[in-house]
Amino acid sequence: DAKTTQPTSMDCAEGRAANLPCNHSTISGNEYVYWYRQIHSQGPQYIIHGLKNNETNEMASLIITEDRKSSTLILPHATLRDTAVYYCIVRVAYSGAGSYQLTFGKGTKLSVIP
Amino acid sequence: DGGITQSPKYLFRKEGQNVTLSCEQNLNHDAMYWYRQDPGQGLRLIYYSQIVNDFQKGDIAEGYSVSREKKESFPLTVTSAQKNPTAFYLCASSSFGKLFFGSGTQLSVL
């Protein structure tokens, strides 16, 4: 799996957009970018994933650069409940359970400030 | 509601004791996983199972054992051979590339 690099921590003012970057310069053509978040002492929660096109759902938007070497997760209007550790992962999808050995790095700790 | 249920939320182990962490899912997923998380760290894969009666070792399987007798259940036993068992344990299942996690079990050594 391609390795990812994320900042250790970020702050964001409540109500503003939170932009969380992720570098994955060794990503392969068939690898997807997944984002999960983990609120303290809970299990990680799936947020969004994409291959090369930008994606949006009710939680967030995912912007992937044209060369696919980096991506940005956007929380459009951050709330205090968005304070969590955010993990960026790249992985081949849909190729059997053995492939879902997702490697979770340390992620980015996002603190939303009132 | 569909989801992953882990129990207990907190568990204490005495020296030399085996303990079993429960994981049940009603999502009808074939694949299930166990991860370990140490403070300030990411998740590390212990074991995973693709179908009933089959499971594979992950990156840190030593000192742990699992069984998969039913599709819904994937219990993890932390054996006395695991010398540093204190950690947060997470169970998950997957469907179409997405992982769904339980709320975790915090295991501590007395």
Side-chain angles (χ1 to χ4, degrees):
Chain A
D1 295 337
K3 180 181 168 135
T4 62
T5 303
Q6 299 178 252
T8 301
S9 63
M10 294 180 62
D11 291 340
C12 177
E14 188 178 17
R16 304 295 293 269
N19 298 285
L20 291 88
C22 180
N23 287 322
H24 31 79
S25 58
T26 60
I27 192 170
S28 301
N30 61 349
E31 287 184 312
Y32 287 72
V33 180
Y34 287 83
W35 283 84
Y36 288 79
R37 74 178 182 183
Q38 185 177 24
I39 296 170
H40 183 62
S41 297
Q42 296 183 23
Q45 175 191 23
Y46 165 83
I47 301 173
I48 198 168
H49 75 283
L51 183 62
K52 55 183 179 181
N53 296 322
N54 297 338
E55 303 287 344
T56 295
N57 63 20
E58 65 279 4
M59 292 182 67
S61 294
L62 174 60
I63 308 299
I64 302 173
T65 58
E66 191 170 345
D67 63 8
R68 302 205 329 119
K69 292 184 177 182
S70 66
S71 61
T72 301
L73 178 75
I74 301 173
L75 308 178
H77 305 287
T79 71
L80 298 179
R81 288 192 298 270
D82 293 321
T83 293
V85 176
Y86 288 77
Y87 298 100
C88 168
I89 299 153
V90 293
R91 190 60 191 134
V92 175
Y94 312 160
S95 54
S99 298
Y100 300 154
Q101 296 184 54
L102 297 181
T103 300
F104 287 77
K106 296 183 180 181
T108 296
K109 181 174 173 53
L110 175 68
S111 298
V112 180
I113 312 300
Chain B
D1 290 336
I4 311 286
T5 301
Q6 290 187 241
S7 62
K9 187 164 180 65
Y10 300 97
L11 186 59
F12 297 91
R13 193 191 88 167
K14 297 178 181 178
E15 293 288 340
Q17 185 182 40
N18 294 350
V19 292
T20 297
L21 284 62
S22 170
C23 178
E24 303 281 331
Q25 57 107 351
N26 60 5
L27 299 170
N28 200 34
H29 292 166
D30 288 313
M32 297 187 73
Y33 310 79
W34 274 104
Y35 287 89
R36 168 180 171 142
Q37 186 174 34
D38 293 284
Q41 304 297 312
L43 281 66
R44 293 185 289 169
L45 183 66
I46 305 173
Y47 269 98
Y48 64 98
S49 168
Q50 300 188 47
I51 56 173
V52 173
N53 294 321
D54 180 73
F55 47 83
Q56 305 295 328
K57 294 181 179 181
D59 299 323
I60 55 166
E62 186 173 352
Y64 301 97
S65 66
V66 294
S67 63
R68 188 82 187 279
E69 298 178 0
K70 298 187 300 181
K71 187 175 186 178
E72 302 79 15
S73 179
F74 191 39
L76 173 74
T77 296
V78 184
T79 74
S80 57
Q82 173 49 247
K83 298 307 179 186
N84 184 24
T86 296
F88 189 52
Y89 290 86
L90 287 158
C91 178
S93 67
S94 68
S95 175
F96 294 103
K98 301 178 191 176
L99 282 171
F100 298 81
F101 286 86
S103 56
T105 293
Q106 175 64 49
L107 175 62
S108 303
V109 176
L110 290 176

